[in-house]
Amino acid sequence: RDELRDLFSDFGKVKHVNVPRMRVKGTADEYTGRGFAFVTFTDEETAKEALSYDGLKWRYCVIRVSMAE
């Protein structure tokens, strides 16, 4: 979460980052990310600027950015 917060703070203040997780099959206490996250900004203008990261290659994946409906 901190890495995503740092990445998107390039545009302004990030209010919240939520990375949904799921339990790894066959384990009692091991979790992994589900492959998506939600980043909430303090204002709509900052969120719109973050749309420019859509398609960005970051670490081992391609980031998709869209506005919540």
Side-chain angles (χ1 to χ4, degrees), residues 14 16 18 20 33-36 38 47 52 54 62 68:
V14 173
H16 183 73
N18 178 18
R34 294 178 57 193
F36 60 93
F38 301 97
S52 68
D54 188 46
V62 175

Side-chain angles (χ1 to χ4, degrees), residues 2-11 53 56 58 63:
D2 290 338
E3 292 172 342
L4 282 173
R5 180 181 299 276
D6 290 344
L7 177 69
F8 282 98
S9 67
D10 289 349
F11 299 101
Y53 270 8
L56 176 74
W58 183 69
I63 293 179

Side-chain angles (χ1 to χ4, degrees), residues 23-43:
R23 187 164 37 105
V24 175
K25 189 174 182 176
T27 69
D29 61 353
E30 190 175 341
Y31 292 84
T32 186
R34 294 178 57 193
F36 60 93
F38 301 97
V39 179
T40 305
F41 294 93
T42 56
D43 61 88

